[in-house]
Amino acid sequence: MMNTIYHYKPNGEVPPGEQLPEGLRRVALGVEYCGTRLRGFQKQKHDSLTVQETLEKAISRVAAEPVTLVCAGRTDAGVHATSQVIHFDTRAQRPTKAWIQGVNTQMPFDVRVHWAREVPAQFHARFSARNRTYRYLIHSAPTRSAQAASEVTWTDRTLDMAAMRAGARHLIGEHDFSSFRAAQCQARSPVRRLTRLDIGRVGELIVLEVSATAFLHHMVRNIAGVLMAVGRGDRKPEWVREVLAARDRTAAGVTAPPHGLYLVDVQYPGEFTLPERAPGPLLVPLPLGAIGGDVPPT
């Protein structure tokens, strides 16, 4: 059996034992952004207000050469991230400070680089990721907050958290999540393994913390929408199981708004020694796995 010949592709996967072409280096960045005014992560032909284009322009200026990048997971318009991870290949030799402070000075206030690290050729922001975690923030109160109107999802209905937790249990594990994927989802398989779905109260917020190896398009927002319907009493917790079993998006049809959603953590094998950062956002100053217990207002 003949070995496959490796051909370099910019930012692409590099097989074990292979290296980047001479003079190239691979750099990873930890990125935070507020998605309120942005059109999502992925670059678009007719709209420059995307996270990817903002970053590529800023990095290219610092590198003094055109730079393209790859991210751990694309986010939709209005969705936020505290711990997005990207990587890019470059011939530029710059100190870590330049990839952080230098890039930040070239970007608007709502996109920020928090750390930078030169990584091995085998690191890939998307394909090396082993687990991803999102937090969905719901403000359940009679009046919408003026300060966090674009940072949380608001409902004037009281949500029954015990019912939401009972419904969430049906989603843990490996399932066909066809009922929770967007119609335009391009994933080859609807099967995903949900490793954790915790629901707790943090001050006046109800927070959903969802972890999986990977997610389908709109999967977390659809889960949040279904669980909010259960929390409002519009549906029983058993309905969640029925929606999942239907394997049909029309069985639920409830998608929660984007502005309550945050990508808060991406885990990689320890061999890459990437910096660790608190998951956030600032409204939820708790480590991963601490959402299950209710935290009273301070």
Side-chain angles (χ1 to χ4, degrees):
M1 182 176 179
M2 297 181 60
N3 293 329
T4 302
I5 299 176
Y6 166 61
H7 297 284
Y8 169 76
K9 294 182 180 180
N11 304 322
E13 290 186 274
V14 179
E18 301 287 353
Q19 296 298 325
L20 297 172
E22 186 176 356
L24 279 180
R25 53 191 44 82
R26 180 158 290 186
V27 178
L29 304 181
V31 180
E32 175 188 21
Y33 49 87
C34 174
T36 301
R37 73 177 188 93
L38 300 171
R39 307 292 194 263
F41 188 92
Q42 188 175 10
K43 185 160 57 177
Q44 302 176 25
K45 289 184 178 180
H46 306 296
D47 197 331
S48 62
L49 281 177
T50 65
V51 181
Q52 183 176 3
E53 184 155 340
T54 299
L55 282 165
E56 288 183 349
K57 285 181 178 179
I59 296 169
S60 295
R61 292 191 187 105
V62 172
E65 66 177 8
V67 170
T68 60
L69 61 84
V70 172
C71 71
R74 299 170 184 171
T75 53
D76 293 329
V79 175
H80 319 290
T82 62
S83 299
Q84 176 71 272
V85 178
I86 69 165
H87 85 259
F88 58 91
D89 295 343
T90 180
R91 293 187 179 279
Q93 298 187 46
R94 300 287 185 271
T96 299
K97 182 178 179 180
W99 295 129
I100 302 174
Q101 297 179 14
V103 171
N104 283 338
T105 61
Q106 301 293 328
M107 293 193 297
F109 68 94
D110 45 8
V111 184
R112 280 292 173 268
V113 173
H114 283 281
W115 57 260
R117 179 69 55 86
E118 187 167 334
V119 291
Q122 282 66 43
F123 176 84
H124 192 283
R126 179 184 175 190
F127 298 121
S128 297
R130 294 293 177 263
N131 201 68
R132 297 164 173 84
T133 299
Y134 286 84
R135 283 176 172 172
Y136 195 89
L137 278 54
I138 306 165
H139 185 211
S140 175
T143 303
R144 183 193 299 269
S145 168
Q147 296 179 339
S150 61
E151 299 175 20
V152 302
T153 290
W154 171 72
T155 177
D156 61 356
R157 302 274 296 276
T158 299
L159 300 182
D160 183 340
M161 292 177 53
M164 294 173 69
R165 287 167 174 156
R169 294 189 188 101
H170 299 297
L171 301 176
I172 302 298
E174 185 171 280
H175 305 285
D176 182 328
F177 281 95
S178 293
S179 295
F180 293 88
R181 71 188 298 187
Q184 64 270 34
C185 181
Q186 298 178 356
R188 294 181 180 180
S189 171
V191 176
R192 292 292 185 270
R193 174 175 290 278
L194 211 64
T195 56
R196 187 157 49 85
L197 205 178
D198 294 338
I199 303 172
R201 186 180 293 276
V202 182
E204 294 186 353
L205 297 175
I206 294 175
V207 181
L208 281 64
E209 185 173 289
V210 190
S211 296
T213 52
F215 290 89
L216 301 167
H217 192 194
H218 285 179
M219 181 173 163
V220 179
R221 289 172 57 193
N222 291 335
I223 288 174
V226 165
L227 293 180
M228 286 176 68
V230 172
R232 290 191 299 264
D234 297 337
R235 299 283 189 168
K236 298 294 184 182
E238 294 75 19
W239 177 63
V240 179
R241 182 181 59 212
E242 296 170 3
V243 170
L244 182 67
R247 301 181 183 179
D248 182 354
R249 180 69 193 106
T250 62
V254 187
T255 303
H259 48 268
L261 184 60
Y262 294 76
L263 173 61
V264 299
D265 185 68
V266 185
Q267 293 184 3
Y268 294 92
E271 64 196 70
F272 296 123
T273 63
L274 299 184
E276 293 186 5
R277 189 167 181 268
L282 294 177
L283 293 169
V284 186
L286 293 175
L288 293 178
I291 295 298
D294 295 352
V295 181
T298 55

